[in-house]
Amino acid sequence: MRKKTQIHDLWQTKDYIVSADQLLASWAKKSYSGLPIVVIPSTWLSIILRFSGRTNNDYRSYCLFMGLRQHRVEDEDIIINPVKLLNAVSERTTERSIKETIINEIISNKDQYFFESPKDYTIAVEKAFESILKEKADEVAVKVFAENLRQLLLAAPIGQKRVLALDPGFRTGCKVVILNEYGALLHNETIFPHPPQSQIRQASNKIRSLVNAYKIDVIAIGNGTAGRETEDFIHGIVFDRDITAVMVNESGASIYSASKVARDEFPDYDIAVRGAVSIGRRLMDPLAELVKIDPKSIGVGQYQHDVNQKLLTEELAHVVESCVNAVGVELNSASEQLLSYVSGVGPQLASNIVKYRNENGGFSSRKQLLKVPRLGEKAYEQCAGFMRIFDGKNPLEVTSVHPESYDVAEKLLETIGFKTKDLLNKESLNEIKVKLAEVRIDKIAKELAVGEMTLKDIIDELSKPGRDPRDEMPKPVLRADVLKFEDLREGQILTGTVRNVIDFGAFVDVGVKHDGLVHISEMSDKFVKNPSEIVSVGDIVKVKVIAIDMERQKVKLSMKV
């Protein structure tokens, strides 16, 4: 039976935590006398190394100290449970306080940290060490996925243009849909330009007639099966005017087409039509369309099926919500799914907003949100600033200025000689922008009895009313320089779009069927710790072909152009 009193005294009177260097030296000499240590679990050393930046030695240390099971003190075996200790300490420990934290934890909860046998201890150490590495790997993988998703959601929209979207296929044909400026489905049919039918002439005539009949501005082509062949087919058609064709990442489109959301939107159409509609809408407004599917289905991460799913789900949900609120939503046209991510709204209130909108017509004022069932003052206070009304009564409704600050915004405009209605006049808007840039924020903030940060935000919004932060992102571009893998040559300089960023590099679409890999060592002449420091998903980059594997259809690229 353990003498708990002696143990308690022992922990209080001696310092049992030593440096990693001391532990290594002692192990090498097989000499433990004089070391103020009772038990040296490998996880302790892992923690010490992790917080001192010496993580490369984790596994070596684990191997060294697995042999050091226990140390006898006063004829008593004291064996620490590293799993419970690690869970209790690691998250709140800093390098400076690690010694005190571990000692205090053991003193306070000493009964929890004992095993009945050394075998149990050994198994626990192994599991604890594996848990540490898995936790680190999960955090990195989730961070990569989250950052890639953020860049994809914030990709620049092409705006209100008429779109002809194609969901490519070989045997089943290419599904064609026509969308108007607002994403509404106008027409759909199927063409068969590829084998086995190879009806190239009929398909070309059909596409040409649809482009003319519906005054199409841009053609969206899914990048899945037969995507490059379809792009080649479209480039071979001679149109009466300039038509841009853009490859669109269709990851997750099949998930959307079979979902309840898609069935509710298009109950009378099959899965292929819904998928083509999703491809076209992604080009028009990526954020509005991608929020309709599970972020994990978008496919811009690494090892997403192996990581902690709860951590991944929470992080991705946070990313989607932050992107939606950063951009804002148009209250009269936003889907229920998009509205659900607005701060303070959620699925139920989003459904109520859409229902109210359908029954009473569009909103003309943000104040009308208070008439939506179950949307109270608190929810209104949280969500109002993220809602936009482009044809509302008050021009301030197109900005992110909160209704509570309308008085401040109006007084600010008065001080520079303008009114809110002048925000709708392009000539006046240029003058307003110049005048606002000359405003002394500290002085005006005192006059209007408002915080300087709040005033600065209001000035930014009034300078660019209705601005979309995604306008600063790279626009989708047409890649007509390379259409077949056989066209590639070593040393060739190409323009490509970054499709995915992972720990060891980035995959870039240069216009062939398979994306090329830019290894982290080929991203810059300088040392690159993380690829995300150099590129993000959606970036337009110049790359050089440095290696081609014809047999495996793989290409290596370099950004050292």
Side-chain angles (χ1 to χ4, degrees):
M1 183 144 182
R2 293 189 175 95
K3 302 173 185 179
K4 294 185 178 177
T5 314
Q6 288 186 5
I7 296 171
H8 182 71
D9 294 340
L10 194 64
W11 283 113
Q12 283 189 321
T13 56
K14 293 187 178 182
D15 182 0
Y16 294 96
I17 310 301
V18 293
S19 72
D21 290 331
Q22 285 178 285
L23 292 178
L24 285 168
S26 300
W27 184 88
K29 295 176 182 177
K30 296 291 189 292
S31 171
Y32 311 120
S33 57
L35 261 184
I37 199 81
V38 177
V39 173
I40 311 171
S42 64
T43 46
W44 284 23
L45 188 59
S46 242
I47 296 173
I48 293 170
L49 289 171
R50 178 162 59 153
F51 284 99
S52 62
R54 300 175 57 187
T55 53
N56 290 337
N57 293 323
D58 278 1
Y59 186 70
R60 176 168 174 262
S61 305
Y62 167 70
C63 295
L64 290 176
F65 286 95
M66 275 304 294
L68 198 59
R69 299 279 188 266
Q70 54 186 333
H71 182 57
R72 191 171 295 278
V73 176
E74 298 181 1
D75 296 324
E76 182 175 24
D77 292 342
I78 302 176
I79 304 174
I80 305 300
N81 180 335
V83 178
K84 291 182 179 179
L85 181 61
L86 180 67
N87 291 339
V89 173
S90 62
E91 290 186 1
R92 65 172 188 267
T93 302
T94 63
E95 184 178 355
R96 185 169 53 186
S97 66
I98 185 169
K99 181 168 65 177
E100 293 80 9
T101 306
I102 292 179
I103 292 175
N104 291 336
E105 181 66 31
I106 294 174
I107 291 174
S108 305
N109 303 288
K110 55 185 178 298
D111 294 340
Q112 298 181 29
Y113 299 118
F114 295 108
F115 285 112
E116 295 300 324
S117 71
K119 181 180 179 182
D120 295 336
Y121 164 73
T122 303
I123 295 172
V125 167
E126 291 173 350
K127 289 183 177 179
F129 188 76
E130 289 174 4
S131 176
I132 292 173
L133 296 182
K134 178 66 163 60
E135 182 183 337
K136 289 180 182 177
D138 284 358
E139 289 175 358
V140 172
V142 169
K143 182 179 179 182
V144 169
F145 199 144
E147 186 56 34
N148 288 347
L149 178 63
R150 183 186 304 279
Q151 296 300 324
L152 189 63
L153 293 176
L154 294 178
I158 64 165
Q160 295 183 343
K161 295 182 182 294
R162 291 193 160 230
V163 175
L164 184 151
L166 292 122
D167 188 358
F170 287 113
R171 183 180 56 82
T172 56
C174 301
K175 182 60 69 176
V176 182
V177 298
I178 305 295
L179 306 176
N180 69 8
E181 298 91 335
Y182 308 103
L185 177 60
L186 302 179
H187 176 79
N188 78 92
E189 61 181 275
T190 306
I191 58 175
F192 299 89
H194 309 307
Q197 297 88 350
S198 298
Q199 300 172 0
I200 299 177
R201 179 176 295 179
Q202 297 93 315
S204 298
N205 292 335
K206 177 55 67 175
I207 293 294
R208 192 182 297 109
S209 65
L210 289 173
V211 166
N212 292 331
Y214 289 97
K215 296 180 174 57
I216 297 299
D217 298 307
V218 62
I219 297 175
I221 306 168
N223 69 342
T225 303
R228 291 303 172 190
E229 291 80 359
T230 303
E231 184 184 32
D232 194 12
F233 159 70
I234 292 296
H235 287 161
I237 301 174
V238 179
F239 295 103
D240 297 334
R241 53 198 173 85
D242 290 338
I243 298 292
T244 300
V246 181
M247 292 295 288
V248 178
N249 187 345
E250 64 175 50
S251 296
S254 58
I255 303 293
Y256 162 77
S257 60
S259 68
K260 183 180 182 301
V261 174
R263 291 196 300 272
D264 291 343
E265 269 193 288
F266 304 104
D268 302 325
Y269 295 95
D270 62 23
I271 287 177
V273 173
R274 298 170 193 161
V277 170
S278 180
I279 290 170
R281 287 180 173 177
R282 286 185 188 199
L283 183 61
M284 299 175 75
D285 191 339
L287 179 61
E289 191 62 22
L290 291 173
V291 295
K292 297 178 182 178
I293 62 176
D294 184 349
K296 288 183 285 187
S297 302
I298 296 175
V300 288
Q302 58 179 3
Y303 319 120
Q304 58 257 41
H305 302 296
D306 300 321
V307 302
N308 183 317
Q309 294 301 298
K310 182 181 178 183
L311 176 66
L312 179 63
T313 301
E314 290 176 352
E315 184 65 23
L316 296 187
H318 172 71
V319 169
V320 176
E321 184 175 341
S322 66
C323 288
V324 170
N325 288 296
V327 173
V329 302
E330 213 294 315
L331 190 53
N332 287 322
S333 62
S335 66
E336 183 178 323
Q337 293 73 34
L338 189 61
L339 287 167
S340 68
Y341 283 103
V342 175
S343 178
V345 178
Q348 184 57 58
L349 284 180
S351 176
N352 292 351
I353 290 172
V354 172
K355 190 179 295 184
Y356 179 90
R357 190 173 68 194
N358 293 338
E359 293 173 355
N360 300 277
F363 291 86
S364 59
S365 167
R366 285 169 169 165
K367 279 288 185 183
Q368 285 180 269
L369 283 168
L370 293 170
K371 296 180 181 179
V372 174
R374 300 181 65 180
L375 199 156
E377 290 284 350
K378 195 69 177 176
Y380 174 76
E381 182 180 332
Q382 288 181 291
C383 73
F386 304 113
M387 305 290 194
R388 309 281 192 274
I389 304 176
F390 286 98
D391 53 354
K393 296 177 180 177
N394 191 333
L396 292 175
E397 309 271 66
V398 303
T399 71
S400 64
V401 177
H402 197 279
E404 292 178 347
S405 300
Y406 280 0
D407 289 344
V408 174
E410 290 168 358
K411 290 177 182 176
L412 174 62
L413 287 172
E414 288 177 7
T415 60
I416 60 174
F418 292 94
K419 295 183 178 180
T420 54
K421 65 179 182 180
D422 295 321
L423 294 173
L424 303 176
N425 187 305
K426 286 187 178 181
E427 294 181 4
S428 298
L429 187 58
N430 290 330
E431 295 180 34
I432 290 174
K433 188 175 181 179
V434 173
K435 293 278 189 180
L436 288 174
E438 299 171 352
V439 167
R440 286 185 55 188
I441 294 179
D442 54 346
K443 179 183 176 183
I444 299 297
K446 291 179 181 178
E447 292 179 3
L448 300 180
V450 66
E452 290 186 16
M453 292 300 294
T454 301
L455 182 61
K456 188 176 183 302
D457 289 341
I458 292 174
I459 289 174
D460 290 342
E461 284 300 314
L462 295 181
S463 298
K464 295 180 180 179
R467 70 188 177 96
D468 189 331
R470 296 175 296 175
D471 291 341
E472 300 172 2
M473 302 294 286
K475 299 286 184 182
V477 296
L478 169 66
R479 301 208 205 296
D481 46 0
V482 175
L483 293 175
K484 296 179 182 177
F485 196 86
E486 292 74 18
D487 294 333
L488 294 174
R489 297 289 182 273
E490 288 190 17
Q492 209 169 7
I493 306 297
L494 305 168
T495 300
T497 302
V498 178
R499 295 298 185 194
N500 199 359
V501 180
I502 61 284
D503 280 345
F504 54 84
F507 288 98
V508 178
D509 177 4
V510 292
V512 293
K513 191 168 186 177
H514 304 287
D515 295 341
L517 172 65
V518 179
H519 190 265
I520 188 171
S521 61
E522 293 294 337
M523 288 188 155
S524 174
D525 292 321
K526 299 179 181 179
F527 174 73
V528 179
K529 184 177 182 180
N530 192 312
S532 59
E533 298 173 359
I534 306 296
V535 294
S536 301
V537 171
D539 283 357
I540 307 301
V541 295
K542 279 192 177 296
V543 293
K544 180 171 67 175
V545 178
I546 57 175
I548 302 170
D549 187 337
M550 284 291 182
E551 184 179 345
R552 295 162 60 191
Q553 295 282 288
K554 292 187 176 182
V555 56
K556 292 182 180 179
L557 306 171
S558 173
M559 290 173 57
K560 298 176 182 178
V561 180

